[in-house]
Amino acid sequence: MECLCILSVLCMFVLSLWEESVSEAMSLNSVLLPQVLGAAGDAVSNQRRRRSWVWNQFFVLEEFTGEEPLYVGKLHSDLDKGDGQVRYVLSGEGATSIFTIDENTGDIHATKRLDREQQAYYTLRAQARDRNTNLPVEPESQFIIKVQDINDNEPKFLDGPYTARVSERSPVGTSVVTVVATDADDPTYGNSARLVYSILQGQPYFSVEPKTGVVRTALPDMDREVRDQYLLVIQAKDMIGQMGGLSGTTSVTVTLIDVNDNPPRFPRKSYQFSVPESLLVSAVVAKIKALDLDVGPNAEMDYRILDGDGLGTFRILTDPNTQEGLVILHKTLDFETKSSYTLRVEASNRYVDTRFLSVGPFSDLATVRLLVENVDEPPVFSSSISQMVISEAAAVGTDVGSVTAHDPDATSSPVRFSIDQRSDVQRYFTIDSSSGLIRTNRPLDRETSALHNITVLATESLDPSQVGKAVVLVSVTDINDNAPSFAIEYQLFVCENSKPGQVNLSTLSAVDRDEPENGHHFLFSLTTEAAGNLNFTLRDNKDNTASVLTRRGGFLQRDQLVHFVTVVISDSGSPSLSSTTTLSVTVCDCDLDGHRRSCSQRASPLLVVGLSTAATAAVLTCVLTLLGVVMVTVVIRHRKREPLMMNDEREILENIVRYDDEGGGEEDTEAFDMFALRHLNQTIQTYQDPDLHPDHHPPGLPRRPQPSMEKNQLFQEFIKDRLQEADLDLTAPPYDSLQTYAFEGSGSTAESLSSLNSSEQNYDFLREWGPRFRKLADLYGNHKGGGGSS
């Protein structure tokens, strides 16, 4: 009964505190008590007893700020007789750290301030134990301490601040944006989390729905051109907006989107501009602009010329960046012909919103007057480009054509013509300065230049600074003045095992620098001498090619290595031109398939391309003459005194010693004896081999050189070798070559080292070589004797 009385008192106390949450504030559980041992350890009666009543849920206010621990509730067992034998124990979430229990009375207190937004409830377990035995006198009971919410959190706009866009002139009630605020308080308890929205700034242009937070337009016909941006402040307040509720705010920036509600308008109704008559076509002569208060595509406009006397002379375009109307010159101007033009120009929006057509036409008109300014102009040719034709066979001074030009100004100054020499560097043409007649000044060659691009200048006589220009294209027509020739240098061969009638290796083709109208037609044939050749014949393939055929078989290299075939190529011109070419055919050793294996001692083919018979003979004569001169020069060089060398392939060791001063004679070097160089002629005679020249051995001189003399002879031979190399060098220039040795001066005892006076020669043997070398004999005879006989 005592337990029931305590429970009744507690129930009344709790009901008085939380009368709004009675239904969920408490609930009772009833369980049977297990067998409990007495203090002496004897078993208590096995009769089942009903367990005492305990609270299943307690409540505690969050954010309690009192100085004393907050009383939460009381646990009590009806087995507790109040004699201190029962001890109460608390465990679970927050036990001892947040919640404490008086082990004697079972009173539970909260020792810390609780925050429902961090943890809304705690689950704990309670036991009643015998103080002496520490055995449970009640089964463990679980209960919940729930943190009761208070209004301690203001609403917050987590997505703010907001930006929004809405079209200008939108109807009232057009949705702009939806703002959302959240409240961390318990939405299931009281009104702490029930929000109401209101607008603090932005009226009367916008409004907000209290429950949903939808922002809408509140005024009609808002004009972007008057004001294009608004800053709104929206408030959210809990407790359904009642007094004492908490609130939060956010900002909304609303930008009005442009619509095409403004037509373009010209600031002026007429414009006037001056235009020089010398202005080039496609140049901008004027700029006009219509104003449109809209922006973006709504401000884009098109300009066009409706009418006026300048409709064909000018055109107008829209600058995409500035939306200006650009008046552009379409045809050249002439002040003397027309001095002014008038245009009527329209500017209209490119994109029109039909909702605003009632405002009026979205276009405007303006008048543009263009005044042409007189300019001193250069002479003008009747044609800026002239084409003329002349044959390459035309004689010097032949008329090619004429050009005309005049001064377009009122002064009508006389004009003088000339050719820009930079366009005719070779001076092929001349022009009459008064009439403009162009004539040839040099022979023309179509194969060298088929087209001449010359610039003709026209200069005013009264004002030489005024110069006009025109281009004259002179085409040179072809005549048959080039003989055909072989396309390449052919290298022909024939196998030793060739059979009669066998086609040679290459198909012969020809080229001709001329260009006949009907194309080239070449004729291939053999010369009269070559036609009697028993070895080869020529076949014209009738397609501007030819083939060389064998007439017999059994060619042998040992009999004749190279055979010659002379071919004549003729063109179809009038008159026909031809060239004679000698082809060389080399005899080669071939395999069974006719492929070359070897052409031993193969001579270089003699091929004279594109020459007539007389020219060929002249070239051959020139070549033979040059070969004769070379042979004579070689023989003359070899007939000089032979140098005394023990071995032509002896290795020469050169020891070069460098000094920073000059002079000193023998004291300057120890590398060799300078006596041999200073007594060169005497040394040469001394060291000649007595076995080779027994009759020239001077008496008293030793026949075998001593070791010291061998060094001098070695140096002497080195000098002689260098002298002989200079004498036999066919590529040497026709002047003496300076050779620097260890001393200098014309007074040297070694005499001159020049190859020009190194020896005296007898050239009488040239007269024995026949009349072809008589000219050389006369030249060398005159050099020797100072003017010998012929």
Side-chain angles (χ1 to χ4, degrees), residues 99-118:
F99 303 101
T100 61
I101 187 171
D102 189 324
E103 64 178 9
N104 296 321
T105 63
D107 294 333
I108 301 175
H109 291 79
T111 61
K112 293 183 179 180
R113 186 175 64 177
L114 303 181
D115 187 357
R116 187 202 66 84
E117 286 70 41
Q118 292 184 358

Side-chain angles (χ1 to χ4, degrees), residues 184-199:
D185 292 326
D186 189 357
T188 63
Y189 175 74
N191 297 323
S192 298
R194 297 178 65 181
L195 308 179
V196 173
Y197 297 95
S198 61
I199 183 168

Side-chain angles (χ1 to χ4, degrees), residues 33-71:
L33 290 173
Q35 183 179 3
V36 181
L37 296 178
D42 298 334
V44 185
S45 174
N46 290 331
Q47 180 182 0
R48 290 193 175 187
R49 299 175 55 191
R50 190 175 67 177
R51 181 187 171 192
S52 60
W53 300 99
V54 296
W55 292 109
N56 186 39
Q57 183 169 296
F58 291 95
F59 294 89
V60 60
L61 287 174
E62 67 170 332
E63 305 294 346
F64 179 75
T65 58
E67 296 181 358
E68 299 294 331
L70 178 63
Y71 179 76

Side-chain angles (χ1 to χ4, degrees), residues 260-448:
N260 192 8
D261 58 343
N262 292 279
R265 291 289 180 263
F266 283 106
R268 299 164 54 185
K269 289 303 179 182
S270 64
Y271 298 86
Q272 181 171 303
F273 301 93
S274 297
V275 183
E277 65 172 336
S278 60
L279 205 62
L280 299 178
V281 173
S282 299
V284 176
V285 300
K287 294 181 180 181
I288 59 176
K289 184 177 182 179
L291 301 181
D292 193 326
L293 298 178
D294 297 322
V295 294
N298 296 323
E300 294 180 1
M301 62 189 74
D302 294 321
Y303 296 87
R304 61 175 181 148
I305 300 175
L306 297 181
D307 52 39
D309 55 3
L311 188 60
T313 307
F314 302 92
R315 57 193 179 97
I316 191 168
L317 298 176
T318 302
D319 188 323
N321 298 321
T322 64
Q323 294 301 308
E324 291 178 308
L326 307 179
V327 182
I328 298 175
L329 182 62
H330 188 60
K331 294 181 180 179
T332 56
L333 300 176
D334 186 7
F335 173 81
E336 289 73 21
T337 304
K338 189 174 179 60
S339 60
S340 66
Y341 296 87
T342 301
L343 307 173
R344 196 160 65 98
V345 179
E346 178 191 58
S348 59
N349 274 139
R350 187 171 299 169
Y351 308 104
V352 178
D353 194 332
T354 57
R355 296 177 299 172
F356 305 103
L357 288 177
S358 59
V359 177
F362 280 75
S363 62
D364 197 14
L365 300 177
T367 301
V368 179
R369 181 176 173 81
L370 301 169
L371 303 179
V372 181
E373 294 179 347
N374 187 23
V375 176
D376 190 8
E377 302 171 88
V380 178
F381 283 87
S382 57
S383 176
S384 59
I385 300 179
S386 301
Q387 295 184 350
M388 303 177 184
V389 179
I390 189 170
S391 172
E392 65 175 328
V396 175
T398 303
D399 295 345
V400 180
S402 62
V403 295
T404 59
H406 70 282
D407 182 7
D409 297 321
T411 56
S412 187
S413 173
V415 175
R416 298 185 63 83
F417 298 96
S418 61
I419 294 177
D420 188 349
Q421 297 303 330
R422 291 174 297 180
S423 64
D424 185 23
V425 178
Q426 302 297 328
R427 306 292 196 273
Y428 282 104
F429 304 95
T430 61
I431 188 170
D432 188 280
S433 61
S434 300
S435 64
L437 179 62
I438 300 175
R439 296 186 177 94
T440 59
N441 190 47
R442 290 181 54 188
L444 303 176
D445 185 6
R446 188 203 65 84
E447 287 70 36
T448 301

Side-chain angles (χ1 to χ4, degrees), residues 736-750:
D736 201 4
S737 176
L738 178 63
Q739 304 289 341
T740 302
Y741 296 94
F743 65 99
E744 58 178 293
S746 59
S748 172
T749 58

